[in-house]
Amino acid sequence: MKNFFTLVAALFLFISCGAQSNTTDSKSQKTTIETNEGPKLVVGIVVDQMRYDYLTRFQSKFGDGGFNRMISEGFNCKNNHFNYVPTYTGPGHASVYTGTTPKTHGIIGNNWYDKETKEMVYCAGDDNVTSVGTENRAGKMSPHRMQTTTFGDENRLFTQMKGKTIGVSLKDRGAILPAGHTANAAYWFHGRDEGSWISSSFYMNELPQWVKDFNISEKAESYLKEWDTYYDITTYTESGVDENTFEGGFKGKDKATFPYDLKTLSKDNRGFDILKATPYGNSLTTDFAMAAIKAENLGQDNITDVLAVSFSATDYVGHNFGVNSKEVQDTYIRLDKDLERLFNYLDSTVGSGEYTVFLTADHGAVDVPSYLNSVKVPAGYVDNKGRKVKLNAFLNTTYGTKDIVENISNDQIFLNRAKVKELGLKLSDVQDAIAMEELSYASVSKVYTATTMSTTSFSKGVEELLQNGFNQKRSGDVILVNDAAFISYGKTGSTHGSALNYDTHVPLLFFGKGIKHGETFTKTVIPDIAPTISALLGISFPNGASGEPLGFVID
């Protein structure tokens, strides 16, 4: 009997210890779940049209708190490239945050020809939503054409929608596509005679009070002032002469030279829209981003939030004045000061060492071809009208009608499938014939067909980039590649879109919590960014991600 009671007591003690152990494990697990050892806030920064060499060319003019702080404290991927074409704003922003290319996420351009509706569509346009904050159609936008998730979406799902995601940019597509499908909000700037930050009913029915307060604060008005160089213009030795024939400038001013009276010039340049083409557009974006951090309490708890900021003014300035202009140099010097402001604000609100930042670009830009010609570098301009006349003549001679081509846009030719069938022709034969004809035209370097893109696997060269940008349902039947530095654009200012290094080589900087200090010349590609941030946060990769996490960046 004594042995029996001893056995019962031992069994009771064993069960009690087991129960206590389970309770302790449960508490430990709960603590683990509720304590986030990752960053409180991830800030993704995309600088629109930033070539990699802007980091090195203007570095001596930067201070210690912006670009140079990211380099000195963080990790610099010096050989970072886009691995697809076209290198445009919409695809660029989508690829940074989805971790994949247009082949998968579906944003094949800023605008493209929709083969089903037979009309051009805009990457963020959505007639099923309404504008919020304006009566203008500028708010009828959403990410519905982007077919995959962003790392912000995955963070929202992982945190049971507790982690916030907010997108901010002068451009609607620069705010909407990075923010993703589950974002709490995306805000963009509507200029003209309003000068307000707006959104759409995809996110909300009414602007939050803090956005309304910001819009009536006259912050935008305060930037309608003189734009002169931040430093003495004679010290801007890293850019070309101020007065030249390669820049566009503003209506109402005879020469594209400093200084610019923005308040006066705004009358002939779409009102507040003039700010977009000056460094003050970036300053205004910084002001609004900091207001969002404060009002939305971003980074104020242990659940990671995401703030996607796109600085768009750099793109407008580049398009207007060109890669080698004094205006571009001054814009980057001033952007460096805005980055310093933003980082200092993050230090004081979220806490130094409690947030993580990455900075990249959505594409680079080519030097103005007319400038390149002046220094004997091969470059030029595509004669689209001349090409079209020749192609129509070929189509009429070969098929008896030019209607066999339905649309030409984004260096792609879309065939009228119904017409091809009506004429009893084989689609691939028509594609091949048009491709060979286009290849004979001036300034055309290469031509590929949709059939080739769909049936052949490329692993290097421009062919690989074309294939990564090719979406079977959305892309055209014939894809054209122009000669190096030949562009479809005006004779002043810069543009982008190619598979060449001036468009694909862009910065990639990481710094903050969880990031090592260092640098590499190992090649990285834009789709690597989202998996890297996902790995840092311990969340699922975006559902279409094709990039790889950069383990050498994470501490």
Side-chain angles (χ1 to χ4, degrees):
M1 182 66 72
K2 182 178 179 182
N3 289 340
F4 173 78
F5 283 115
T6 302
L7 180 62
V8 170
L11 183 61
F12 177 79
L13 181 63
F14 175 79
I15 292 171
S16 298
C17 289
Q20 185 177 2
S21 176
N22 288 338
T23 302
T24 303
D25 289 345
S26 177
K27 288 180 179 178
S28 175
Q29 184 180 16
K30 184 177 180 181
T31 302
T32 301
I33 291 172
E34 291 181 353
T35 302
N36 182 3
E37 295 181 356
K40 293 182 177 181
L41 177 64
V42 172
V43 180
I45 298 175
V46 176
V47 183
D48 206 320
Q49 202 186 116
M50 184 176 184
R51 292 163 50 118
Y52 175 80
D53 67 341
Y54 289 162
L55 264 187
T56 53
R57 182 146 62 99
F58 304 143
Q59 188 169 18
S60 65
K61 296 296 191 295
F62 295 150
D64 295 329
F67 290 114
N68 284 331
R69 178 179 176 184
M70 295 194 75
I71 293 170
S72 64
E73 295 182 17
F75 203 98
N76 185 0
C77 298
K78 295 184 173 183
N79 189 21
N80 183 62
H81 289 262
F82 281 88
N83 63 340
Y84 68 85
V85 286
T87 40
Y88 295 145
T89 299
H93 283 79
S95 298
V96 168
Y97 284 84
T98 64
T100 190
T101 70
K103 176 181 180 179
T104 303
H105 62 59
I107 304 299
I108 65 169
N110 293 334
N111 303 273
W112 64 84
Y113 182 70
D114 188 309
K115 292 186 280 191
E116 294 183 7
T117 63
K118 310 299 183 185
E119 61 183 3
M120 296 296 293
V121 296
Y122 177 57
C123 63
D126 189 349
D127 285 334
N128 293 317
V129 300
T130 57
S131 299
V132 173
T134 180
E135 296 297 319
N136 192 278
R137 286 183 54 84
K140 293 178 72 64
M141 304 288 168
S142 85
H144 76 108
R145 288 195 168 94
M146 186 169 66
Q147 297 176 319
T148 59
T149 62
T150 65
F151 75 78
D153 287 325
E154 296 300 335
N155 186 62
R156 292 273 286 158
L157 294 169
F158 182 83
T159 62
Q160 301 302 309
M161 300 297 174
K162 295 175 184 175
K164 289 186 176 181
T165 299
I166 294 178
V168 174
S169 175
L170 293 178
K171 293 182 179 180
D172 47 50
R173 58 187 180 271
I176 290 167
L177 299 176
H181 303 278
T182 63
N184 300 81
Y187 301 104
W188 52 97
F189 185 68
H190 179 54
R192 300 198 180 184
D193 60 346
E194 295 185 35
S196 297
W197 291 87
I198 65 171
S199 190
S200 90
S201 61
F202 181 85
Y203 307 99
M204 64 195 73
N205 294 319
E206 185 179 5
L207 291 178
Q209 189 58 48
W210 71 266
V211 178
K212 293 178 182 178
D213 292 342
F214 190 96
N215 285 337
I216 64 175
S217 69
E218 298 187 353
K219 179 62 73 171
E221 286 90 337
S222 72
Y223 289 116
L224 288 176
K225 58 183 180 180
E226 183 178 85
W227 174 24
D228 205 350
T229 54
Y230 189 86
Y231 298 119
D232 186 333
I233 196 170
T234 61
T235 67
Y236 283 26
T237 55
E238 298 80 10
S239 50
V241 296
D242 191 27
E243 184 176 349
N244 59 73
T245 60
F246 313 121
E247 302 175 358
F250 296 114
K251 292 180 181 178
K253 192 174 191 302
D254 293 337
K255 295 180 180 179
T257 56
F258 283 104
Y260 297 93
D261 181 351
L262 299 181
K263 188 172 183 63
T264 299
L265 292 171
S266 66
K267 299 171 185 177
D268 295 323
N269 292 272
R270 294 165 56 95
F272 285 104
D273 276 344
I274 196 172
L275 294 178
K276 297 177 180 180
T278 77
Y280 299 137
N282 289 334
S283 299
L284 181 63
T285 302
T286 306
D287 296 334
F288 190 80
M290 293 192 303
I293 293 168
K294 179 180 180 180
E296 298 290 347
N297 294 312
L298 299 182
Q300 296 306 303
D301 57 31
N302 289 328
I303 300 174
T304 302
D305 298 319
V306 175
L307 175 64
V309 182
S310 178
F311 289 106
S312 306
T314 43
D315 184 66
Y316 290 106
V317 174
H319 278 294
N320 192 358
F321 297 97
V323 165
N324 202 44
S325 64
K326 289 280 190 283
E327 287 80 1
V328 160
Q329 179 167 3
D330 191 68
T331 297
Y332 277 90
I333 288 171
R334 291 176 180 273
L335 175 59
D336 183 61
K337 303 301 180 186
D338 284 321
L339 290 175
E340 183 174 1
R341 274 203 301 140
L342 177 60
F343 298 157
N344 287 341
Y345 188 75
L346 289 168
D347 287 341
S348 64
T349 56
V350 180
S352 179
E354 294 295 335
Y355 61 91
T356 304
V357 180
F358 71 81
L359 182 148
T360 188
D362 56 349
H363 52 74
V366 65
D367 261 299
V368 180
S370 54
Y371 165 70
L372 292 176
N373 288 159
S374 73
V375 293
K376 301 181 181 180
V377 175
Y381 297 90
V382 174
D383 180 10
N384 286 318
K385 290 183 179 179
R387 280 187 189 176
K388 189 172 183 179
V389 169
K390 285 186 176 182
L391 180 60
N392 284 341
F394 167 79
L395 295 174
N396 282 320
T397 299
T398 307
Y399 303 110
T401 177
K402 63 182 178 62
D403 294 339
I404 204 166
V405 168
E406 201 165 70
N407 176 271
I408 302 176
S409 55
N410 293 331
D411 293 324
Q412 298 182 47
I413 298 173
F414 295 79
L415 297 182
N416 184 330
R417 304 295 181 92
K419 195 68 175 178
V420 170
K421 187 175 181 180
E422 177 189 319
L423 294 173
L425 301 170
K426 188 177 178 181
L427 182 65
S428 60
D429 290 343
V430 178
Q431 291 174 349
D432 287 339
I434 292 176
M436 292 306 296
E437 172 66 16
E438 286 280 349
L439 192 58
S440 69
Y441 297 166
S443 69
V444 175
S445 173
K446 301 172 188 284
V447 186
Y448 295 92
T449 67
T451 299
T452 299
M453 288 291 116
S454 300
T455 59
T456 306
S457 180
F458 298 103
S459 60
K460 60 182 180 180
V462 65
E463 293 81 7
E464 181 188 14
L465 274 67
L466 287 170
Q467 194 161 57
N468 285 338
F470 179 80
N471 184 285
Q472 280 187 304
K473 293 196 73 171
R474 294 181 175 181
S475 297
D477 291 279
V478 179
I479 304 170
L480 311 177
V481 179
N482 295 317
D483 286 342
F486 272 74
I487 62 174
S488 178
Y489 202 65
K491 296 297 176 68
T492 59
S494 300
T495 194
H496 47 86
S498 79
L500 294 159
N501 285 321
Y502 51 73
D503 282 334
T504 67
H505 190 195
V506 298
L508 178 54
L509 303 173
F510 294 90
F511 102 108
K513 190 165 188 177
I515 302 299
K516 291 180 181 177
H517 171 56
E519 59 184 34
T520 184
F521 283 106
T522 299
K523 186 173 183 179
T524 59
V525 293
I526 287 295
D528 294 337
I529 298 171
T532 301
I533 297 299
S534 297
L536 176 68
L537 299 181
I539 63 176
S540 294
F541 293 2
N543 59 18
S546 55
E548 300 290 337
L550 304 176
F552 51 80
V553 165
I554 299 174
D555 189 0

